[in-house]
Amino acid sequence: MLLFREKIPANWLPKILVNLPAVLIDHAHLERKAATTALNLEKYHDLYPRVEQLNAIAIEELQHFQLVLDLLKRRGIPFGRPHPSPWISGLMKSVRNGQRHQVIDHLLCCSLIEGRSCEKFQILARELEPIDPGLAKFYASLVESEGNHYATYLLMARGIDHVETDRRLDFYLDVEAQLMRQPNPFPMLH
Ligand SMILES: [Fe+2]
Ligand SMILES: [Fe+2]
């Protein structure tokens, strides 16, 4: 994604490629959380007019969750517990309280998470091609959807307050870059 101010660390991809079963379990939870997050956003007054759009995202994420569960089953990988992501909790920690501030920050965090997913799925689609073509195809099939979620959440925030959104986006891009530089030993997407 063009917006990001830090590259994905060089050790991310090798760690993912040698731990694909654990990564798929982490991915399943990521999609599950994406579905519940879309529903959670419906609690904000400023997003009441967007409730159907958010439902559509929740349904799509739930379908992604099911697709990853199907993959786990086909590969004989039991569904397991997720590792908490310091990158995601680091972003969410900066969400301010107060109606308008909170919804804008929450949407920006969602947008950045979706944006990084889109970027990483693109990398996986390319890098898995010679190793695991079926999985490469699967990741390629998710890229467009996650890219749309990234844009949708950003546009929703700008629809509430464009100036404040871009001001906070600048702040969040710095936070995100800092978090990206923190080492994470676990085989996780984020
Ligand atoms: Fe998804
Ligand atoms: Fe998504």
Side-chain angles (χ1 to χ4, degrees):
M1 286 278 130
L2 296 171
L3 275 177
F4 292 114
R5 293 175 181 171
E6 187 61 70
K7 285 202 180 90
I8 294 168
N11 66 351
W12 175 79
L13 183 65
K15 185 181 70 181
I16 294 289
L17 295 181
V18 296
N19 288 292
L20 288 176
V23 170
L24 285 172
I25 293 169
D26 176 62
H27 184 178
H29 285 285
L30 192 68
E31 300 291 0
R32 179 184 59 75
K33 285 182 269 183
T36 56
T37 298
L39 295 176
N40 283 336
L41 287 168
E42 294 175 357
K43 73 184 176 191
Y44 295 113
H45 184 265
D46 282 305
L47 291 176
Y48 287 174
R50 309 286 199 153
V51 91
E52 286 186 18
Q53 221 179 336
L54 288 165
N55 269 351
I57 294 179
I59 291 166
E60 225 172 84
E61 302 290 23
L62 199 56
Q63 285 166 341
H64 294 170
F65 179 32
Q66 188 57 50
L67 288 172
V68 186
L69 286 178
D70 293 345
L71 252 172
L72 288 175
K73 199 184 273 176
R74 280 204 302 279
R75 290 172 179 236
I77 306 164
F79 187 51
R81 269 163 72 119
H83 286 294
S85 161
W87 179 82
I88 291 179
S89 53
L91 287 174
M92 292 300 294
K93 229 173 19 208
S94 311
V95 173
R96 298 164 299 174
N97 281 324
Q99 272 213 351
R100 192 148 273 200
H101 284 165
Q102 194 174 340
V103 64
I104 287 173
D105 287 2
H106 201 165
L107 282 167
L108 282 171
C109 288
C110 292
S111 176
L112 295 181
I113 295 166
E114 297 286 341
R116 280 295 192 193
S117 291
C118 177
E119 183 187 21
K120 288 176 172 176
F121 291 177
Q122 255 172 318
I123 294 170
L124 289 176
R126 188 182 63 228
E127 300 294 330
L128 283 167
E129 185 59 44
I131 309 165
D132 191 333
L135 199 53
K137 217 175 188 176
F138 175 64
Y139 277 109
S141 77
L142 296 179
V143 168
E144 192 186 341
S145 167
E146 309 305 3
N148 284 338
H149 299 158
Y150 151 79
T152 302
Y153 285 143
L154 183 57
L155 291 175
M156 279 184 185
R158 283 183 174 152
I160 294 168
D161 187 331
H162 199 125
V163 172
E164 177 65 4
T165 294
D166 284 0
R167 202 182 65 77
R168 284 300 279 179
L169 179 59
D170 182 55
F171 163 82
Y172 267 110
L173 286 171
D174 280 345
V175 171
E176 199 277 338
Q178 246 170 38
L179 290 166
M180 199 49 125
R181 289 191 284 268
Q182 304 298 313
N184 178 355
F186 298 112
M188 303 167 67
L189 286 165
H190 295 311

